[in-house]
Structures are given as C-alpha cells and as structure tokens.
C-alpha cells in the first residue's frame, strides 16, 4: 500500500488499483484490498451514526410527555396569528359563490381583523389551541418513540444507520401511527378550536366548555367528531412525513456537522419537515376544516357527501386553487412553527436529561 499526496483524487490504475479518499489524503490500494477497505469505511460510518444515536438525550416517560406538550404549546402560541389567517382563508368559498371570491390577501385580511376585531383577535381560540396542543404533542412525541422502538424490533433493526430503507420505513410508519393516535385522543378539542377561531363579529361559542356543551346539545355526541375521517387521513401522512424528514435530516446534519448547536439543527431540520408535510397534506386539512364547521351557529349544511364528496365539490366549484386556499399563510406559519416545536422539544429533552433522577 502506498500513499498519494493528491487529496481527493480518484483513479483506477493497472493491476486493479483503486484510490480511496480518507480525509487525510488519497490511499491507493490494490484490487484485493478494495473490498476490505470499503467494508472498513462502511463500518466506520455505522459506528459514527450509532455513536450519534447513543448520545441523544434519554428521558423518562413523564419528562418526555412534558417536553412534547410544552414544545407544542410554545410553537402554537408563537404562530397563532398566522394559524387564524390560514383557517379564515380555508373557509372562503364555503358560504360564498366561488365566482365572487376575492384573491386571498394576507395584508388585507390582517388589516380587517385589526380594524374590526382588535389585535387580541389574532389569538382567538388560542386557549383551546393550547389545551388541545399540549396533550396532542405529548402523545404524538411519546407515541412516535414507542412505535419506533416497536417497529425496530419487528423489522430487526438493531441500531440506526445499518439499513437506510428500514430506518426510513420505521420513521414513516411510526410517525403515521403516532399522528393517528394523538389525533383520535384529542379530536373534540381540535374541532372546538376551529370553530372558535372561525368566529368573526358574531360570537356564537363563548369558550371551550360552552362550545363543547352547545355542540353536544345541538349536534349530538357525534358532532364533536365531524371531520375525524379527513383528519386521520391527513394527520397520518402529515406526521409520517414530518417525523421522517426531521429525523433523517437531523441524522445527516449531525453526522456531517456534529458540533452545531441543538437550536440550529432543530430550526433547520424543523423547517424542512414542516414545508414537506404541509405541501402534501394541505388539501386534506382544508377539507377537514370545512367539515368541522358543518352546522356551526345554526348554518345550513354545505357538504353532505362525506370526505371524498367534499373534496370533489371543492375541486369542481373552486378548482385546484381552492384546495390550496390559505397555503401561503400556512407556509408562513409552518416554517417557524414546526421549527420552534422541534427546537423546543430537543432543548427540553437536553435540559430534563441533565436532571438527576429522584
């Protein structure tokens, strides 16, 4: 074996010689040693990924639930104004002729809310948002870790980094199951949050408990679960993509830049995660919002044919653009929102892992 001083040079010479870049120079090996060198480099990569995984903060069940809940509440509170704008845009066209709809303008709607409802209106329904987000985030983060561990056992994944396709499958399926679990448990609060945020000048629901009682009385217990099907169809893929993109991006980032701060990694990878999941699942989220408002405030029903009938109706009357109504404020919301959630979660895990047991 001989060393070539040209760093990064790749060539194949006579006799089956190959050059491998080791980071300190190019090492020339004969064909017989090439396979062993490849195995050594792959083993070193796996050991590095395993070391990164082993150094992730470890916390107990209660601490993990707290970290997930607080992270969700912080993220939602910071982006509440954009969340309300998204809901209002999504509901355009529900009780208005599509031909008479004005093009969505964030600035115009923001000005209208400030003028007619005041600044506090941007956080209308935020209390119920937090009441929903704390258990939702707690359950989703906790369930993801549990499902991930279970799937690793089922698929025979002894340690992350050994099989990229299995790692991705674990993250996608685990994220989807976590989303379905969390959404099913906390759905009535999500429905109430939507109805409170959708109120403008006429206040029909006076708060969380009043809304829960009114909906149960006027629409029955099933009224609290309107749009659950669309929610599960959307939240499964949404969290599947979100967790998969975040975990994959974080692993790749920390592998190549292990000294970067947790805050930077959380914000960067969270942004990619939010954009990817929102783009794919936004039409289902819009359908869910509109189904949640069926019969609200005594209004006549608009969509009477279920999830797919509602989807078809919106597409027919408002076009493809109608299915993405409100996507701009959604992007403005989701990039900082998801980033803040993941960053807060990682920092809280780091903090809570340093607290001695007992």
């Amino acid at each position: 074996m001989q060393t070539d001083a040209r760093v990064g040079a790749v060539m194949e010479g006579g006799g089956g010689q190959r050059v491998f870049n080791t980071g300190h120079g190019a090492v020339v090996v004969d064909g017989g040693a090439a396979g062993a060198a490849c195995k050594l480099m792959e083993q070193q990569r796996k050991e590095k990924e395993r070391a990164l995984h082993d150094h992730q903060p470890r916390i107990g069940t209660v601490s993990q639930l707290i970290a997930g809940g607080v992270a969700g509440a912080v993220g939602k509170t910071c982006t509440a104004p954009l969340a309300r704008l998204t809901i209002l845009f999504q509901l355009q066209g529900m009780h208005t002729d599509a031909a008479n709809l004005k093009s969505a303008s964030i600035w115009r709607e923001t000005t209208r809310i400030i003028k007619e409802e005041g600044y506090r209106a941007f956080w209308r329904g935020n209390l119920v948002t937090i009441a929903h987000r704390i258990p939702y985030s707690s359950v989703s983060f906790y369930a993801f870790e549990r499902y991930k561990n279970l799937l690793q056992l089922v698929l025979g994944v002894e340690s992350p980094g050994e099989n990229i396709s299995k790692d991705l499958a674990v993250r996608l399926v685990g994220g989807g199951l976590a989303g379905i679990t969390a959404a099913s448990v906390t759905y009535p609060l999500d429905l109430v949050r939507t109805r409170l945020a959708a109120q403008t000048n006429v206040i029909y629901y006076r708060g969380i408990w009043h809304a829960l009682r009114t909906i149960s009385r006027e629409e029955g217990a099933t009224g609290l679960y309107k749009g659950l099907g669309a929610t599960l169809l959307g939240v499964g893929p949404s969290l599947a993509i979100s967790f998969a993109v975040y975990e994959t991006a974080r692993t790749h980032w920390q592998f190549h830049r292990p000294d970067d701060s947790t805050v930077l990694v959380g914000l960067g990878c969270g942004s990619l995660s939010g954009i990817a999941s929102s783009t794919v699942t936004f039409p289902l989220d819009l359908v869910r919002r509109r189904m949640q408002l069926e019969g609200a405030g005594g209004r006549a029903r608009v969509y009477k044919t279920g999830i797919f009938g509602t989807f078809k109706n919106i597409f027919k009357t408002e076009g493809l653009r109608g299915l993405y109504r409100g996507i701009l404020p959604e992007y403005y919301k989701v990039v900082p929102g998801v980033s803040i959630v993941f960053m807060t979660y990682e920092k809280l895990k780091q903090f809570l892992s340093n607290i001695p047991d007992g």
Side-chain angles (χ1 to χ4, degrees):
M1 184 179 291
Q2 55 184 340
T3 304
D4 189 335
R6 291 170 295 174
V7 177
V10 179
M11 61 183 179
E12 187 169 341
Q17 288 185 330
R18 292 182 182 178
V19 176
F20 291 90
N21 188 350
T22 66
H24 301 287
V27 178
V28 182
V29 299
D30 57 35
C38 284
K39 289 181 179 179
L40 178 61
M41 293 172 66
E42 179 65 15
Q43 183 179 357
Q44 290 175 339
R45 182 188 68 80
K46 289 180 178 179
E47 287 177 353
K48 186 175 180 180
E49 289 188 354
R50 192 178 298 114
L52 284 172
H53 178 263
D54 291 340
H55 280 83
Q56 291 299 317
R58 306 290 182 184
I59 55 177
T61 298
V62 175
S63 296
Q64 192 170 37
L65 290 171
I66 292 173
V70 172
V74 171
K76 280 295 181 181
T77 300
C78 290
T79 58
L82 286 167
R84 181 154 193 249
L85 285 171
T86 299
I87 290 173
L88 292 175
F89 282 137
Q90 285 178 325
L91 301 179
Q92 286 182 353
M94 187 172 179
H95 296 282
T96 307
D97 186 352
N100 296 326
L101 284 174
K102 297 179 181 179
S103 59
S105 170
I106 295 175
W107 175 250
R108 182 167 57 242
E109 187 64 17
T110 300
T111 304
R112 184 200 66 76
I113 292 172
I114 294 173
K115 183 178 179 180
E116 297 180 6
E117 305 174 53
Y119 287 99
R120 291 180 61 184
F122 285 112
W123 280 269
R124 178 171 293 164
N126 190 56
L127 181 60
V128 72
T129 296
I130 294 174
H132 164 261
R133 187 51 52 167
I134 288 176
Y136 178 85
S137 293
S138 295
V139 173
S140 60
F141 276 106
Y142 178 77
F144 175 68
E145 295 295 338
R146 300 289 79 76
Y147 283 129
K148 186 171 69 171
N149 293 339
L150 178 62
L151 290 167
Q152 286 173 342
L153 287 174
V154 171
L155 297 177
V157 179
E158 295 183 2
S159 60
E162 289 187 344
N163 189 307
I164 296 175
S165 60
K166 284 186 177 181
D167 284 344
L168 186 59
V170 165
R171 291 163 183 166
L172 283 170
V173 176
L177 291 174
I180 290 171
T181 302
S184 298
V185 171
T186 62
Y187 188 76
L189 286 170
D190 184 39
L191 181 137
V192 169
R193 176 178 72 94
T194 298
R195 294 200 177 184
L196 288 174
Q199 294 183 139
T200 53
N201 295 323
V202 179
I203 305 300
Y204 192 79
Y205 305 112
R206 297 192 297 272
I208 299 173
W209 299 114
H210 179 259
L212 288 170
R213 289 196 304 270
T214 303
I215 294 168
S216 299
R217 184 178 66 252
E218 295 181 354
E219 304 169 49
T222 57
L224 294 171
Y225 290 89
K226 282 183 177 178
L228 177 60
T231 296
L232 296 183
L233 282 174
V235 80
S238 177
L239 279 196
I241 295 168
S242 184
F243 276 118
V245 171
Y246 177 77
E247 292 257 315
T248 302
R250 186 190 64 176
T251 300
H252 182 78
W253 188 323
Q254 291 180 331
F255 181 83
H256 293 284
R257 300 177 64 90
D259 297 327
D260 284 350
S261 71
T262 303
V263 172
L264 181 61
V265 174
L267 290 174
C269 297
S271 297
L272 292 175
S273 168
I275 291 171
S277 62
S278 290
T279 301
V280 174
T281 62
F282 189 81
L284 277 169
D285 185 59
L286 181 139
V287 169
R288 172 176 69 95
R289 297 289 188 199
R290 294 197 179 184
M291 291 187 72
Q292 285 178 332
L293 283 173
E294 285 283 26
R299 286 182 173 181
R301 293 185 62 187
V302 179
Y303 310 112
K304 305 176 183 179
T305 52
I307 299 170
F308 297 105
T310 302
F311 192 99
K312 183 178 178 180
N313 184 296
I314 295 171
F315 183 77
K316 183 179 179 180
T317 57
E318 302 174 52
L320 180 63
R321 184 177 181 179
L323 292 171
Y324 281 90
R325 193 175 298 282
I327 189 66
L328 191 58
E330 173 72 6
Y331 280 144
Y332 290 157
K333 174 194 74 175
V334 83
V335 171
V338 178
S339 300
I340 291 169
V341 169
F342 277 114
M343 180 270 291
T344 305
Y345 179 67
E346 296 292 351
K347 289 300 291 182
L348 282 173
K349 276 176 60 180
Q350 193 176 59
F351 172 74
L352 292 171
S353 67
N354 293 326
I355 299 177
D357 293 336

